[in-house]
Amino acid sequence: MATDKLISKLGELGEQELLIEVTVRYLFSLPPELADAAFRGAILRWFTPEVLQGVSGAGTVSGIEGLGSDRKASPDELCDQLRKLRFAEEYPGRGYSFHDMTRELVLSYLWGKERDFYRKVSAQAAGYFGGLLNAQIERSELGEIDPGEIDWDLGVERAYHSIVADEQEAIEAVGSFLDFLLQERKLGTYHAVMQALSEHAEAGRMLPDSQGRLKLWRLQEAIANYNITGLETMTSEILQAPDAGAPGWLKAEATYQLASGLCLASRYDEAEDHLKQNLDQYKD
């Protein structure tokens, strides 16, 4: 009877819902400690024993039975078991990760059903990666390591996780970090932040205003790379979008960014024309 009910339930699900259900059921079928680590591993873009230990203990996923406070498996053992799962793969230069499709399915489940857990693990991950980065910066300031040895990609992970942990607080901090990267011409790291945050935006895990900020940051990236064609294309998309998807403040800011880029390309008359044509109507 239970099997018949399960089959009936699965038959009512859409394709995406079915994939989520099957994936999550598999994770719940794992031994409790491994299941707990797997859900945490899915939140992480990559993991090592040290990273798993850094996010352990934050929140719990409802439905994992038999998970006590007395853990027996070490982070090394859990990482070894995770990397042997069918959807695990090597993350070059870092450690291991889950396949993109598997992560997308698990994160969809967590965002919809276990958002408190998702936020708590993300907050712990942001603190962990941010702590590593701050320690390296401090060592650099003390002359213990060369500034070129600072792993700025740790800031990418901090930004990625902080947005889920506390979006309204994080958006300003991420903006400041991006301003620093532009100033220091660390454009590869800047682009990596854009890619990481786009994952949240595309999955609907960012508020509309934050998604607007993300679009402006992409315009700034285009200017920094002297990609005026890309700047014009992205700005045009923003200006032509319905107000529901691109409010007036975003269109006004995009107009300013386009004018700045055109001036950089010595296209001053065009910059002035865009400002005259668009700026007044998009003021709040």
Side-chain angles (χ1 to χ4, degrees), residues 69-97:
S69 58
D70 183 22
R71 307 296 176 90
K72 297 179 180 179
S74 69
D76 288 284
E77 291 170 330
L78 288 173
C79 187
D80 187 58
Q81 293 176 61
L82 288 178
R83 73 175 182 83
K84 293 177 181 177
L85 296 175
R86 68 188 72 175
F87 44 76
E89 57 190 13
E90 186 175 355
Y91 194 101
R94 292 296 184 182
Y96 300 94
S97 66

Side-chain angles (χ1 to χ4, degrees), residues 12 22 42 75 94 108 115 135 138 155 159-160 171 181 184 218 220 226 237 244 250 262 266 272 275 277 284:
E12 296 172 356
V22 171
R94 292 296 184 182
S108 293
R115 194 171 300 187
E138 183 176 348
Y160 173 81
I171 204 73
L181 295 175
E184 298 295 320
R218 285 201 176 280
Q220 292 175 347
Y226 306 105
E237 292 172 354
L250 174 57
L262 292 174
S266 300
E272 184 177 359
L275 289 174
Q277 292 172 14
D284 288 334

Side-chain angles (χ1 to χ4, degrees), residues 135-150:
Q136 291 186 10
I137 294 173
E138 183 176 348
R139 290 184 62 198
S140 173
E141 291 172 346
L142 293 173
E144 296 177 1
I145 63 172
D146 187 270
E149 297 179 68
I150 296 176

Side-chain angles (χ1 to χ4, degrees), residues 11-33:
E12 296 172 356
L13 299 177
E15 180 179 355
Q16 182 74 1
E17 293 174 316
L18 180 60
L19 289 172
I20 292 173
E21 182 74 16
V22 171
T23 302
V24 171
R25 279 182 175 272
Y26 174 75
L27 295 190
F28 279 126
S29 74
L30 299 171
E33 283 191 67

